[in-house]
Amino acid sequence: MGLCSFISSTFCTSKPEIDTTGPQTADYLSHPTPATHGPISRPSLLSEKAIGRTHVITELVCSERTYVNLLVEFEKVYIDPAYHPLTYSPHGKLGPKITLDTALTPEERKLMFKGHEEIVRLHGAFILPELEKATQDLLKAGDDTQGCRSAKAAMRISKVICAYAECFKMYSAYSAACEWATKRLGQWVDGRDLTKADKARVQAYLLQCKTNKAHSQIDMTGYLLLPVQRLTRYRMLLEHLESNTPAPPAGHRDFVGEALNRISTILLYVNEYKREVDSRRRLCHWADQIQLSHPSSTTTPSSLVQPHRILVREGPVNFIARGIMARHLDPEEELPDSPKGRGSQREEKVSRQVGAVDKHCMAVLCHDILVLADKAEGDGWKGKLGLVDVVRLSAMGKARVEHGNVVVFEAYEVTYYLQVDTTEIAKGWVEAIN
């Protein structure tokens, strides 16, 4: 083979042959892969929001109907019978029966049902009809494909909430009274601090109400707490509604966000009002037991209750010791470096003299004073308390915790040592004082 023939044979490529034994191209394409399917139907973000928005709106209206129905039910089962005559046996089932003009006294009815009538009227006559009117198109026909119908319904119910936001302030008085109503109900059920006649009367009234066919599964405590929980329910639903409703165009009012802000503001107002009422009641309680002057004083005792005074904290403490700053001069002596003929120099010394007190006191801290009062032997904290000390916070230095659970502070050059149960309680007192 010559050189040219060798080179030609080296770079020569053979003609490819078609493999007829394997599957043809048409066979592969006859079984399309998933990528060749048509577009998969997936909900868009707007549709998902619209579904959630419709669900929240439906829940808001349905829960409002349930709320109004339960309020009316409470009136029929508990409030109306409280005004009607009650026939019962004060000495047991076998004893003679008597009939009273009303089951509950006017004072008891005021304590248990104060503010309920106004709340029923507000929701039954105004808010519920307005909400049903605002959502009737959506609830009858459902939402459209673009979610416009649910968006309009969200705006309309938000307008209703905004329109009646100021009326919700009436919940503040009800919320403040509800806690005392539930406590009184507990006394009725247990019979605590009641005369035998009152115990028989109120328990006969409760039994009559429970056997009413209109009574639902919730008890009287549940009925009383319904209004307390409603505003919180509004806020939760409006939060979900806001997260499922697109923001309005620039320059337009955001009614959903405004409704949520107003409900949140009302809740803060209700909680603050309740806190102030509770503070005032506790101050009145301690004012009945403590006089802010010693019995030997010739001046008229001042009252713990003042228009400007707010209760900050209260609780038992052990007034273990009191330290007094004492100043005295050293005995006369001549200093080594003093020039002769000038006489001796004396240096003033300051020392703290700590004396044991060891009194179990009730500490009542207001924003301007701290009152310490001790109890009589065996009377507990329910009887009259003797005044131990009054410290004005304007004269008080920074409080601190020492020895783990001892609250220490200085006032009028006197150091106070108040022992409490735990370090956490001590830190709470220090934070409240400072």
Side-chain angles (χ1 to χ4, degrees), residues 111-379:
L111 174 64
M112 301 300 293
F113 312 126
K114 181 180 179 181
H116 188 274
E117 181 180 356
E118 292 79 5
I119 291 177
V120 174
R121 176 169 172 76
L122 171 65
H123 288 268
F126 298 100
I127 294 181
L128 178 58
E130 292 285 346
L131 290 177
E132 291 177 335
K133 181 180 178 181
T135 58
Q136 60 183 355
D137 294 339
L138 174 65
L139 298 182
K140 286 182 179 180
D143 204 1
D144 57 285
T145 56
Q146 300 299 322
C148 296
R149 195 172 291 133
S150 62
K152 290 181 180 179
M155 182 185 67
R156 289 169 182 166
I157 64 174
S158 298
K159 286 183 177 180
V160 174
I161 298 296
C162 292
Y164 290 97
E166 288 298 314
C167 298
F168 291 142
K169 288 185 177 180
M170 69 172 62
Y171 277 81
S172 57
Y174 183 90
S175 179
C178 182
E179 182 178 355
W180 293 91
T182 53
K183 288 182 179 179
R184 178 62 63 88
L185 178 60
Q187 291 179 344
W188 288 357
V189 174
D190 299 336
R192 291 179 286 108
D193 302 326
L194 296 176
T195 64
K196 188 175 181 180
D198 286 340
K199 177 181 177 181
R201 174 178 57 85
V202 296
Q203 291 189 350
Y205 159 74
L206 293 176
L207 180 61
Q208 177 185 359
C209 296
K210 289 180 181 179
T211 55
N212 192 317
K213 294 182 179 180
H215 199 297
S216 62
Q217 294 181 351
I218 62 176
D219 56 7
M220 188 176 183
T221 303
Y223 282 117
L224 290 171
L225 292 176
L226 284 172
V228 178
Q229 300 167 345
R230 189 56 188 167
L231 293 183
T232 305
R233 181 74 170 168
Y234 278 149
R235 183 175 64 180
M236 184 193 71
L237 290 172
L238 288 173
E239 286 174 347
H240 289 300
L241 186 62
E242 184 185 47
S243 64
N244 286 281
T245 303
H252 292 72
R253 287 180 64 181
D254 182 9
F255 286 101
V256 178
E258 185 176 337
L260 177 58
N261 290 335
R262 291 202 178 190
I263 286 295
S264 300
T265 302
I266 292 296
L267 275 171
L268 291 176
Y269 173 84
V270 170
N271 292 334
E272 181 64 20
Y273 181 90
K274 181 178 180 298
R275 189 189 67 81
E276 291 182 1
V277 170
D278 291 343
S279 170
R280 181 67 55 177
R281 282 177 173 168
R282 294 303 299 169
L283 277 179
C284 292
H285 167 75
W286 293 121
D288 291 338
Q289 296 181 270
I290 307 171
Q291 289 184 344
L292 296 190
S293 63
H294 291 282
S296 59
S297 176
T298 58
T299 60
T300 303
S302 59
S303 174
L304 186 61
V305 178
Q306 299 292 339
H308 65 281
R309 188 161 289 157
I310 299 174
L311 178 67
V312 178
R313 190 181 178 97
E314 59 181 318
V317 299
N318 185 14
F319 191 3
I320 56 177
R322 180 192 285 116
I324 301 176
M325 301 292 291
R327 290 181 171 85
H328 59 275
L329 298 176
D330 279 348
E332 186 174 342
E333 61 180 8
E334 185 175 331
L335 298 178
D337 298 335
S338 61
K340 292 183 179 181
R342 291 188 179 180
S344 59
Q345 297 181 4
R346 303 176 67 187
E347 183 179 357
E348 185 181 56
K349 295 287 186 179
V350 179
S351 63
R352 188 186 306 277
Q353 299 177 356
V354 179
V357 178
D358 195 21
K359 285 189 176 183
H360 292 280
C361 298
M362 176 59 65
V364 180
L365 176 65
C366 300
H367 76 287
D368 60 335
I369 62 172
L370 172 65
V371 179
L372 299 173
D374 64 345
K375 57 185 177 181
E377 290 294 333
D379 287 346

Side-chain angles (χ1 to χ4, degrees), residues 11-77:
F11 290 96
C12 181
T13 56
S14 60
K15 184 178 181 180
E17 297 181 359
I18 299 176
D19 184 9
T20 58
T21 60
Q24 303 299 313
T25 304
D27 294 331
Y28 287 109
L29 297 180
S30 63
H31 303 284
T33 61
T36 61
H37 280 293
I40 299 175
S41 177
R42 299 176 63 186
S44 64
L45 183 62
L46 177 61
S47 298
E48 292 174 352
K49 294 290 186 181
I51 293 172
R53 186 165 59 245
T54 302
H55 177 75
V56 173
I57 293 172
T58 304
E59 174 64 22
L60 195 151
V61 177
C62 291
S63 63
E64 186 71 15
R65 291 196 192 105
T66 303
Y67 177 56
V68 172
N69 290 337
L70 288 174
L71 292 178
V72 174
E73 184 179 289
F74 183 46
E75 280 191 337
K76 294 179 179 179
V77 174

